[in-house]
Amino acid sequence: MSLILKAVENIPLIEKGDDIAEIIFKNAPDIADKDIIVIASTIISKSLGLTFREDEIVPSAEAERIAALNGKDPRFVQAILDQSLEVFTETPFMLVRNTNGHVCINAGIDASNVGGDLLLTLPEKPDGHAAAIGKAIEQKSGKKISVIITDTNGRSFKEGQTNVAVGLYNIKPIRQWIGEKDLYGKVLEISEEAVVDEIAGAANLIMGEGGDGVPAVIVRGLDLYTDEAVSVTEMYRSKERDLIIQGLLELKNKK
Amino acid sequence: MSLILKAVENIPLIEKGDDIAEIIFKNAPDIADKDIIVIASTIISKSLGLTFREDEIVPSAEAERIAALNGKDPRFVQAILDQSLEVFTETPFMLVRNTNGHVCINAGIDASNVGGDLLLTLPEKPDGHAAAIGKAIEQKSGKKISVIITDTNGRSFKEGQTNVAVGLYNIKPIRQWIGEKDLYGKVLEISEEAVVDEIAGAANLIMGEGGDGVPAVIVRGLDLYTDEAVSVTEMYRSKERDLIIQGLLELKNKK
């Protein structure tokens, strides 16, 4: 069994209004059934024009309060608050649940690979954008494909970031091994493989973060296509089920 | 640019004393320079005979205390304590820093794919085992390769597990993008890509967890080989630098 990941080459710098599906299809005309197309959220946000300047933002008193704690610009803090359902840490960094339910630093607002002094926010309905791009590529190619939209995130306990899934089309976030048998015929009790995050991370190995980065990668060889409705939010753990969030809120409330 | 992952087929059920390097080389004779060989820690532990039965263990008073909280067998709790430097959560699950510095549930002790009523512990010096296997394969093949030993872990905020690196040879855990320029020529301020965890996750897509699982995967197409000394522990964040650990200890001390 083998798996192949191929960069979609020659994707230009994306501007507001660009047709991402058309640009990917034009540069990857050999798309096949069950291919998974991994797309950096950055280019989707850019095509949607989700850029802003700090000086367009008027900070609230709450943003001023948090900025005084963490030393960031109150306008940047306000932008994070605008994109967040809940703030789990205020300092030294802001870890939040963003409006789509994803837990990340700074609500995913990013200044890299945007240009000028612009900041970029994550797409607000990432599954919807994954579906729109996926359906358009399916129509152009005549193939049944899956789409994963990604962002780069830090993690607990370890230095370094990895790419993770933030939006899905035609692929379930978790592959269930529960009830299947192990090598010795014993039933596996706990095993839910977060395949979409593993695929997102794999794609990042050839996406890169720098100036030679490629924002789209084709993954071929996996049998994970589904035509059922899916959502990346299926794998987001609720606050009540997440001991780590409870610990962070305990720390926050203590301060 | 492309990346290929290939299962090493026909690996038998591993027994104590088996020569993992020889078994992998025999089943992947076309190993090339800069290949990364990803190996499930399970088979290394089995070859080292790191199995035990609960009834061999005499629980301490501390193990009895924790078992009363989380409902697990006190002997199993003792086995976890024996493999841990520090316990961050006691209930409903035990999240610990294991003796190699890795933060994981149950110190990585596993009952899946072991056989009988045996339990399996992680290798104690995973970098050392990665190096020993890597050097042996280099000698047999005449090629310069890297090795990543992996285990399956849960994560914060999201359901599902992913494969992560727990031992390394000839590959650095983090790829530094700091100081490099983005698409617009702006210097990237923060970007440290945890490539070894992304590679471990990618390999898991074809390893699988069940009875048709393959415990070794060849990754080809990345330029990450180094002959410098490396350690997986370079990416482990200290307690002082990890807000999440501080939050969990806050919760634990409150109870």
Side-chain angles (χ1 to χ4, degrees), chain A residues 1-7 9 13-15 46 88-89 91-93 95 97 102-104 111-118 152-165 174-175 177 180-184 186-202 204-213 219 221-222 224 234-238 241-248 250-251 254-255, chain B residues 1-7 9 13-15 46 88-89 91-93 95 97 102-104 111-118 152-165 174-175 177 180-184 186-202 204-213 219 221-222 224 234-238 241-248 250-251 254-255:
Chain A
M1 188 187 174
S2 66
L3 178 62
I4 297 173
L5 291 93
K6 275 172 50 178
E9 310 278 3
L13 292 182
I14 299 298
E15 307 281 347
K46 282 198 239 177
F88 300 130
T89 71
T91 184
F93 51 80
L95 181 75
R97 190 182 295 279
H102 179 54
V103 176
C104 56
S112 295
N113 292 314
V114 190
D117 57 351
L118 291 172
T152 303
N153 278 190
R155 55 272 176 76
S156 311
F157 316 129
K158 293 200 274 193
E159 306 289 350
Q161 295 105 41
T162 62
N163 216 28
V164 298
I174 305 268
R175 176 159 61 178
W177 296 94
E180 296 206 26
K181 290 185 177 161
D182 74 6
L183 287 167
Y184 298 83
K186 189 159 54 178
V187 173
L188 293 167
E189 283 179 16
I190 304 177
S191 213
E192 301 191 309
E193 184 183 355
V195 285
V196 295
D197 284 335
E198 293 183 326
I199 296 166
N204 204 35
L205 293 164
I206 56 179
M207 278 183 169
E209 299 286 334
D212 55 352
V219 179
L222 295 171
L224 295 171
E234 292 166 39
M235 70 174 168
Y236 295 158
R237 201 181 280 141
S238 68
R241 279 177 52 78
D242 199 302
L243 206 58
I244 284 176
I245 291 178
Q246 291 167 33
L248 292 173
E250 192 70 31
L251 268 190
K254 189 188 161 199
K255 279 179 180 159
Chain B
M1 186 185 175
S2 66
L3 177 63
I4 297 173
L5 291 93
K6 274 172 51 178
E9 310 278 3
L13 292 182
I14 299 298
E15 307 281 347
K46 280 198 242 176
F88 300 129
T89 71
T91 183
F93 51 79
L95 181 76
R97 190 183 295 279
H102 179 55
V103 176
C104 57
S112 294
N113 292 315
V114 190
D117 56 351
L118 291 173
T152 303
N153 278 189
R155 57 269 176 80
S156 312
F157 317 129
K158 293 199 276 192
E159 307 289 350
Q161 294 105 40
T162 61
N163 217 28
V164 298
I174 306 267
R175 176 159 61 179
W177 297 95
E180 295 207 26
K181 289 185 176 161
D182 75 6
L183 287 165
Y184 298 82
K186 188 159 55 178
V187 172
L188 292 168
E189 283 178 16
I190 304 179
S191 214
E192 300 189 309
E193 184 182 354
V195 285
V196 294
D197 285 335
E198 292 183 329
I199 296 166
N204 204 35
L205 292 164
I206 55 179
M207 277 182 170
E209 299 285 336
D212 55 351
V219 179
L222 294 171
L224 294 171
E234 291 166 39
M235 70 174 169
Y236 295 159
R237 200 181 280 141
S238 68
R241 278 177 53 79
D242 199 303
L243 207 58
I244 284 176
I245 291 179
Q246 291 167 33
L248 291 173
E250 192 70 32
L251 270 189
K254 189 187 160 200
K255 276 176 184 161

Side-chain angles (χ1 to χ4, degrees), chain B:
Chain B
M1 186 185 175
S2 66
L3 177 63
I4 297 173
L5 291 93
K6 274 172 51 178
V8 180
E9 310 278 3
N10 303 316
I11 293 186
L13 292 182
I14 299 298
E15 307 281 347
K16 183 174 178 178
D18 282 350
D19 182 340
I20 299 293
E22 177 61 23
I23 290 169
I24 290 176
F25 178 65
K26 202 175 65 185
N27 291 294
D30 62 337
I31 283 169
D33 278 327
K34 294 189 180 179
D35 277 359
I36 301 162
I37 305 183
V38 184
I39 309 172
S41 56
T42 322
I43 63 168
I44 294 167
S45 294
K46 280 198 242 176
S47 75
L48 296 168
L50 301 181
T51 53
F52 68 96
R53 287 192 170 77
E54 273 181 3
D55 57 21
E56 297 165 5
I57 304 216
V58 180
S60 62
E62 175 71 353
E64 297 278 7
R65 182 187 68 75
I66 296 173
L69 291 174
N70 64 24
K72 295 189 198 305
D73 190 304
R75 299 167 301 177
F76 184 63
V77 172
Q78 184 62 50
I80 297 168
L81 294 177
D82 291 343
Q83 298 283 323
S84 302
L85 295 178
E86 187 168 7
V87 176
F88 300 129
T89 71
E90 294 174 344
T91 183
F93 51 79
M94 291 179 70
L95 181 76
V96 305
R97 190 183 295 279
N98 82 358
T99 48
N100 197 53
H102 179 55
V103 176
C104 57
I105 302 286
N106 295 345
I109 297 174
D110 194 11
S112 294
N113 292 315
V114 190
D117 56 351
L118 291 173
L119 294 164
L120 197 65
T121 60
L122 285 175
E124 273 191 42
K125 302 282 178 203
D127 290 326
H129 294 296
I133 293 169
K135 283 175 184 167
I137 293 175
E138 288 186 322
Q139 199 157 33
K140 292 170 199 292
S141 66
K143 307 295 180 184
K144 295 289 186 189
I145 60 147
S146 307
V147 172
I148 299 177
I149 296 175
T150 68
D151 193 27
T152 303
N153 278 189
R155 57 269 176 80
S156 312
F157 317 129
K158 293 199 276 192
E159 307 289 350
Q161 294 105 40
T162 61
N163 217 28
V164 298
V166 296
L168 302 178
Y169 171 64
N170 284 357
I171 182 167
K172 291 184 183 174
I174 306 267
R175 176 159 61 179
Q176 296 283 352
W177 297 95
I178 295 170
E180 295 207 26
K181 289 185 176 161
D182 75 6
L183 287 165
Y184 298 82
K186 188 159 55 178
V187 172
L188 292 168
E189 283 178 16
I190 304 179
S191 214
E192 300 189 309
E193 184 182 354
V195 285
V196 294
D197 285 335
E198 292 183 329
I199 296 166
N204 204 35
L205 292 164
I206 55 179
M207 277 182 170
E209 299 285 336
D212 55 351
V214 284
V217 170
I218 311 276
V219 179
R220 186 169 296 168
L222 294 171
D223 190 18
L224 294 171
Y225 174 84
T226 178
D227 57 10
E228 290 174 41
V230 295
S231 173
V232 72
T233 62
E234 291 166 39
M235 70 174 169
Y236 295 159
R237 200 181 280 141
S238 68
K239 181 163 72 175
E240 292 67 32
R241 278 177 53 79
D242 199 303
L243 207 58
I244 284 176
I245 291 179
Q246 291 167 33
L248 291 173
L249 292 175
E250 192 70 32
L251 270 189
K252 182 182 162 190
N253 294 332
K254 189 187 160 200
K255 276 176 184 161

Side-chain angles (χ1 to χ4, degrees), chain A:
Chain A
M1 188 187 174
S2 66
L3 178 62
I4 297 173
L5 291 93
K6 275 172 50 178
V8 180
E9 310 278 3
N10 303 316
I11 294 187
L13 292 182
I14 299 298
E15 307 281 347
K16 183 174 179 177
D18 282 350
D19 182 340
I20 298 292
E22 176 61 23
I23 290 169
I24 289 176
F25 177 65
K26 203 174 66 185
N27 292 292
D30 62 337
I31 283 169
D33 278 326
K34 295 190 180 179
D35 277 359
I36 302 163
I37 305 183
V38 185
I39 308 172
S41 57
T42 323
I43 65 168
I44 294 168
S45 294
K46 282 198 239 177
S47 75
L48 296 168
L50 301 181
T51 53
F52 67 96
R53 287 193 170 74
E54 273 180 2
D55 58 20
E56 297 165 5
I57 303 214
V58 180
S60 63
E62 175 71 352
E64 298 278 6
R65 182 188 66 76
I66 295 173
L69 292 174
N70 64 24
K72 296 189 196 306
D73 190 304
R75 299 168 300 178
F76 183 62
V77 172
Q78 184 62 51
I80 296 168
L81 294 177
D82 291 344
Q83 298 283 323
S84 302
L85 296 178
E86 186 168 8
V87 176
F88 300 130
T89 71
E90 294 173 344
T91 184
F93 51 80
M94 290 180 70
L95 181 75
V96 306
R97 190 182 295 279
N98 82 358
T99 49
N100 197 53
H102 179 54
V103 176
C104 56
I105 302 286
N106 294 346
I109 298 174
D110 194 10
S112 295
N113 292 314
V114 190
D117 57 351
L118 291 172
L119 294 164
L120 197 66
T121 60
L122 285 175
E124 273 190 43
K125 302 281 177 203
D127 290 326
H129 294 295
I133 293 169
K135 283 175 183 168
I137 293 175
E138 287 186 321
Q139 198 157 35
K140 292 170 199 292
S141 65
K143 308 294 180 185
K144 295 288 186 190
I145 59 147
S146 307
V147 173
I148 300 176
I149 297 176
T150 68
D151 193 26
T152 303
N153 278 190
R155 55 272 176 76
S156 311
F157 316 129
K158 293 200 274 193
E159 306 289 350
Q161 295 105 41
T162 62
N163 216 28
V164 298
V166 296
L168 302 178
Y169 172 63
N170 284 357
I171 182 167
K172 291 184 184 175
I174 305 268
R175 176 159 61 178
Q176 296 283 353
W177 296 94
I178 295 171
E180 296 206 26
K181 290 185 177 161
D182 74 6
L183 287 167
Y184 298 83
K186 189 159 54 178
V187 173
L188 293 167
E189 283 179 16
I190 304 177
S191 213
E192 301 191 309
E193 184 183 355
V195 285
V196 295
D197 284 335
E198 293 183 326
I199 296 166
N204 204 35
L205 293 164
I206 56 179
M207 278 183 169
E209 299 286 334
D212 55 352
V214 285
V217 170
I218 312 276
V219 179
R220 185 169 297 168
L222 295 171
D223 190 19
L224 295 171
Y225 175 84
T226 179
D227 56 9
E228 290 174 40
V230 295
S231 173
V232 71
T233 62
E234 292 166 39
M235 70 174 168
Y236 295 158
R237 201 181 280 141
S238 68
K239 181 164 71 176
E240 292 66 32
R241 279 177 52 78
D242 199 302
L243 206 58
I244 284 176
I245 291 178
Q246 291 167 33
L248 292 173
L249 291 175
E250 192 70 31
L251 268 190
K252 183 182 162 191
N253 294 332
K254 189 188 161 199
K255 279 179 180 159

